[in-house]
Amino acid sequence: MKVATFIALALCLTIATADIHAVLLAGSNYYYNYRHQADICHAYHVLIQHGVNPDNIITMAYDDIANDSENPYPGKVFNQPDGKDVYEGCVIDYKGADVNAKNFLAVLTGDSKTTGGKKVLKSTAEDNVFINFADHGGTGLIAVIDDYLYADQLLGALKTMNTNKMYKKLVFYMEACESGSMFTNLPANLSIFAHTAANPDESSWGFYCPPDDTVGGKSIGSCLGDTWSISWMEDSDIADLTTETLADQYNTILKRVDQSHPMKYGDQTFVTDTLSNYQGPTKKTTTWSQWIYRFFFGSRNTKAQQVDSRMAKLAYLQAKHSKKGTLQSFKEMQSELDSIKNFDTIFQKIDAKLNRVGAPLFKTPISLPEDLSCLRTAVDSFQKTCTKFTDYGMKYTKNLAHLCYT
């Protein structure tokens, strides 16, 4: 009887053991967006180094940066000046055209049929899930390469995960402009805590941008990371995750991010949980060099060159032209300037057509409903009638949202 009881108890304990599952997505391509793939590969290493099972991590990245012709270090990617190569050992499960909104939602909800049998979340009601997204965004939407994923679609997937008991607790870290707008309707009863790089009405910012983008004396030629993203990861790199809480990390980030307003949404009841529940249970040994880097150069790094994500492509092209000084580099820079001016002009004309020039309508925050079908229609119609939104142009999705919902 005692043996049978012991076996039954051991089996129950095995079944009840919680695990950590993670989904990491860099939703952009092209060299001027270097920072997003660098962020996500760095995040991958944060999880691995803190003991998350690599089999439980699903990484999505276009994977065109490491071997881009402009990369001075072919096959390598850096998220910090003179930092380690984060591309080495970064296992990417979805690449190229497979990185899209449809597959992302399928991964989250465990729908391997949609992904063609590729890796999807297999978490259970006893597991914790960590999701990290890095890319561009707008009011009520985020970009995934050539797709847009709307807040109601993401919320629908999260609710499906909850209904299907795919997690015990879920933490969602999002790097994107207007990222707060993706979670304003997130209920507090889903056991989901969301932490965003920006509020619903502002840009996020690139970090370690030219001229502070050097590795081994060479300029990478693009921002190495994003301010909010490198803030949480550089903290997690050397923090004791078994004692630091979600709330602690949020407050640490607030001290460093000075161009946007990081926000938190959803269930606030478990912000006192330690990071080890979501980013890995292992207490990582910090080397002397890391401590020296943190305490002697930390203050300098907080002052590294930052760029509004909306203007990151222009900053990249300006730095490129400053270095090359060719007619071709000038034309590329001028093309981006023309594109920016074009978006400004288009929406000035729309405002004028509606007799709303200078009115506060498009300047104030917008409260989004749960159903964003009108915004989807407005974005699709604009792109078919006028032009496709660029990273800069996406800031005007707020104008379309105002037309739909005010």
Side-chain angles (χ1 to χ4, degrees):
M1 178 65 73
K2 289 183 178 179
V3 174
T5 301
F6 176 79
I7 292 174
L9 179 59
L11 181 60
C12 287
L13 288 174
T14 301
I15 293 174
T17 300
D19 209 346
I20 298 173
H21 292 253
V23 178
L24 312 175
L25 170 61
S28 69
N29 53 358
Y30 300 119
Y31 199 73
Y32 59 83
N33 285 319
Y34 181 107
R35 63 195 185 280
H36 297 137
Q37 292 179 44
D39 287 341
I40 289 304
C41 275
H42 188 173
Y44 180 88
H45 286 292
V46 168
L47 301 184
I48 293 295
Q49 291 167 4
H50 287 98
V52 176
N53 185 344
D55 291 338
N56 291 350
I57 303 174
I58 301 172
T59 307
M60 308 177 75
Y62 199 83
D63 197 22
D64 60 334
I65 301 305
N67 294 299
D68 189 281
S69 61
E70 293 188 55
N71 190 349
Y73 294 100
K76 297 183 178 182
V77 174
F78 301 90
N79 199 220
Q80 300 162 299
D82 294 322
K84 64 173 289 186
D85 171 19
V86 296
Y87 189 70
E88 182 180 6
C90 180
V91 179
I92 303 174
D93 302 288
Y94 289 76
K95 300 182 179 184
D98 286 338
V99 182
N100 56 61
K102 186 178 180 180
N103 276 342
F104 179 49
L105 296 181
V107 166
L108 294 184
T109 56
D111 178 10
S112 59
K113 183 177 180 180
T114 294
T115 66
K118 292 177 72 69
K119 195 173 180 181
V120 297
L121 271 182
K122 295 182 178 179
S123 49
T124 72
E126 298 300 326
D127 301 324
N128 291 329
V129 174
F130 179 77
I131 304 171
N132 182 207
F133 173 92
D135 190 25
H136 297 283
T139 298
L141 59 87
I142 50 177
V144 186
I145 309 298
D146 293 324
D147 284 348
Y148 292 128
L149 176 60
Y150 291 81
D152 55 351
Q153 295 170 322
L154 179 59
L155 180 57
L158 296 175
K159 286 182 175 179
T160 296
M161 294 177 70
N162 182 266
T163 299
N164 293 343
K165 302 185 185 305
M166 293 183 65
Y167 63 87
K168 182 178 182 181
K169 296 177 183 177
L170 187 153
V171 170
F172 204 130
Y173 276 25
M174 180 174 285
E175 172 74 63
C177 294
E178 282 95 12
S179 46
S181 68
M182 295 296 291
F183 297 104
T184 54
N185 289 315
L186 178 64
N189 63 351
L190 296 182
S191 296
I192 298 174
F193 171 74
H195 183 176
T196 67
N199 68 27
D201 301 292
E202 65 186 359
S203 299
S204 63
W205 286 66
F207 203 76
Y208 297 137
C209 300
D212 295 324
D213 63 331
T214 58
V215 176
K218 296 180 181 180
S219 170
I220 296 298
S222 192
C223 297
L224 303 185
D226 290 282
T227 307
W228 176 84
S229 289
I230 60 93
S231 295
W232 79 259
M233 288 186 288
E234 289 184 1
D235 176 59
S236 291
D237 275 336
I238 60 174
D240 180 356
L241 303 192
T242 64
T243 59
E244 184 169 350
T245 67
L246 288 166
D248 290 336
Q249 184 155 84
Y250 177 79
N251 291 327
T252 296
I253 291 170
L254 286 180
K255 295 176 183 177
R256 186 169 185 179
V257 179
D258 57 2
Q259 298 293 334
S260 65
H261 299 82
M263 302 292 289
K264 49 187 178 180
Y265 298 92
D267 191 342
Q268 308 294 311
T269 64
F270 59 90
V271 294
T272 55
D273 284 4
T274 60
L275 293 171
S276 59
N277 290 287
Y278 309 98
Q279 296 178 20
T282 302
K283 183 177 180 180
K284 183 174 176 288
T285 300
T286 304
T287 65
W288 279 109
S289 61
Q290 286 175 313
W291 281 113
I292 292 172
Y293 187 87
R294 181 183 192 187
F295 288 108
F296 285 90
F297 298 103
S299 60
R300 183 193 69 181
N301 288 340
T302 61
K303 301 302 180 183
Q305 182 67 30
Q306 299 184 66
V307 172
D308 183 332
S309 289
R310 299 281 186 221
M311 306 299 288
K313 183 177 181 179
L314 177 61
Y316 151 80
L317 292 171
Q318 289 173 329
K320 182 178 178 180
H321 179 59
S322 178
K323 181 180 180 180
K324 293 190 172 184
T326 64
L327 179 59
Q328 179 61 32
S329 64
F330 174 78
K331 287 181 177 180
E332 291 173 353
M333 179 180 66
Q334 189 60 49
S335 177
E336 179 64 11
L337 285 168
D338 291 343
S339 175
I340 290 171
K341 183 178 179 180
N342 184 50
F343 275 102
D344 291 342
T345 300
I346 288 173
F347 279 93
Q348 286 170 5
K349 290 181 177 179
I350 291 175
D351 291 357
K353 192 75 172 178
L354 297 172
N355 297 314
R356 286 166 172 163
V357 177
L361 177 60
F362 297 149
K363 309 295 183 182
T364 56
I366 175 73
S367 179
L368 296 175
E370 283 197 22
D371 182 359
L372 297 181
S373 55
C374 178
L375 180 59
R376 274 191 291 279
T377 300
V379 170
D380 289 344
S381 297
F382 176 85
Q383 294 197 126
K384 289 177 181 177
T385 305
C386 299
T387 185
K388 182 175 175 57
F389 279 113
T390 62
D391 303 340
Y392 175 83
M394 284 178 71
K395 77 174 188 175
Y396 286 112
T397 57
K398 178 192 288 188
N399 295 45
L400 300 183
H402 271 291
L403 291 175
C404 281
Y405 308 119
T406 56

